[in-house]
Amino acid sequence: MGPAGLEALISQYASEIKRHVADPTASADAQWQRITQALDTVAQQKNSYISGLYWHTDLEGAKKASAETGKPILSLRLLGKLTDEFSCANSRFFRTVLYPNAEVSAMLREHFVLHWQSVRPVPVITIDFGDGRKLERTLTGNSIHYVLDSQGRPIEAFPGLYGPKAFLQGLANAETLFRTLAGKN
């Protein structure tokens, strides 16, 4: 059901989502785990209940949605997967700081078709404490947001990390460029 399916889930579980957003320390009981797993599976983003964004993982599907809606594609290329707790450090920043920002998530939802693609597995470092304890974490990872036209051609790129204000300005400029180029080969 795509974005409509995500909207239906978010609507159905609105009170549970609101409770967990208001109190992030609330227990993650079996019911909440089931809800977040369903949301994340549909949205294709870890902790999607915070941003409410739907992501295509198939570029052809994103191109089709772009052509149907007249919206540009925002395509995130990252190390690891946006659905993983420990995707690259940059994408974790996007998931926890950038995408949950109310203005950013509204701009993305209303003006862009979202797509992500894993470029390769995320680098992982393991620290063995020698007493049976191990700490595994991902290392830094480069990522880039491309703005694509409906044919999948890049028209803008945002490498690295951006704060919400700078990202919003870049998105607005890219959308203007997309509209200017529409219909031109």
Side-chain angles (χ1 to χ4, degrees):
M1 292 178 59
L6 180 61
E7 287 178 28
L9 281 173
I10 289 171
S11 177
Q12 181 176 351
Y13 297 110
S15 61
E16 291 91 340
I17 292 168
K18 185 176 181 180
R19 184 169 48 90
H20 278 271
V21 168
D23 181 10
T25 63
S27 72
D29 61 13
Q31 172 72 0
W32 178 244
Q33 290 176 14
R34 187 180 67 74
I35 291 168
T36 57
Q37 182 178 7
L39 288 165
D40 293 353
T41 298
V42 172
Q44 286 299 295
Q45 177 192 319
K46 182 76 176 159
N47 297 326
S48 62
Y49 73 93
I50 301 170
S51 66
L53 298 174
Y54 177 85
W55 294 84
H56 291 267
T57 56
D58 169 41
L59 184 56
E60 292 306 313
K63 288 167 31 177
K64 182 179 177 189
S66 173
E68 290 172 356
T69 62
K71 297 176 184 179
I73 301 166
L74 183 71
S75 182
L76 172 64
R77 308 298 167 90
L78 69 150
L79 303 181
K81 297 179 181 178
L82 200 57
T83 53
D84 292 345
E85 179 71 33
F86 292 111
S87 55
C88 72
N90 288 5
S91 62
R92 288 195 315 267
F93 171 81
F94 301 148
R95 279 194 345 249
T96 59
V97 176
L98 196 59
Y99 303 152
N101 177 281
E103 290 178 85
V104 171
S105 63
M107 171 70 120
L108 293 176
R109 196 172 16 268
E110 296 165 17
H111 297 270
F112 289 86
V113 171
L114 304 178
H115 166 263
W116 67 260
Q117 177 182 334
S118 178
V119 176
R120 65 180 175 85
V122 65
V124 176
I125 187 168
T126 301
I127 300 172
D128 186 337
F129 292 101
D131 60 2
R133 295 179 302 141
K134 290 184 181 181
L135 175 67
E136 288 190 357
R137 290 293 184 262
T138 58
L139 295 175
T140 188
N142 291 333
S143 56
I144 187 167
H145 287 95
Y146 288 106
V147 177
L148 311 174
D149 67 12
S150 297
Q151 288 81 44
R153 297 176 296 202
I155 58 174
E156 182 60 280
F158 309 114
L161 302 175
Y162 289 79
K165 186 175 179 179
F167 193 62
L168 283 166
Q169 184 61 57
L171 291 173
N173 293 343
E175 184 182 22
T176 299
L177 180 58
F178 172 78
R179 302 262 174 251
T180 301
L181 297 174
K184 298 178 182 177
N185 289 331

